[in-house]
Amino acid sequence: QVQLVESGGGLVQAGGSLRLSCLASERTFSSYAMGWFRQAPGKEREFVAAISWSGGRTYYADSVKGRFTIARDNAKNTVYLQMNSLKPEDTAVYYCAAPTSSSWVRRYRSAAEYDYWGQGTQVTVSS
């Protein structure tokens, strides 16, 4: 059982930056791909970014491409989401998640592919 704990959320003005962190409890963290999702009030959970187990491949939603960067430090069991040029529409609860199936590589945008989830961290961007 992998436990994921997000941190780093908060309130920021439009144009500002935040860095989210997700700490995994599992010592085999380095064998998992990881993803970030977000959910705004009244909306479905949506894909934000994902990274392969080695960090060699990264994937982004079109809405965040060029502004957000996903990275990981396997020695620290941590995945990061650097968020720059934040917009009010980025306001949401952000979740990190880990898949266990190899089908992830074809369906990384789907929340159904992820088996372990953190509790989420709130990001609020004011205009």
Side-chain angles (χ1 to χ4, degrees), residues 22 40 71 90 101 112:
C22 173
D90 294 318
S101 172

Side-chain angles (χ1 to χ4, degrees), residues 56-102:
R57 289 175 292 165
T58 57
Y59 309 91
Y60 297 95
D62 289 343
S63 59
V64 307
K65 201 171 293 184
R67 299 188 299 122
F68 290 11
T69 302
I70 189 171
R72 66 190 298 159
D73 184 340
N74 287 341
K76 296 182 178 180
N77 282 11
T78 302
V79 63
Y80 304 98
L81 186 67
Q82 177 67 44
M83 306 186 296
N84 299 328
S85 303
L86 282 161
K87 304 175 181 180
E89 52 263 44
D90 294 318
T91 295
V93 177
Y94 283 71
Y95 300 89
C96 67
T100 59
S101 172
S102 59

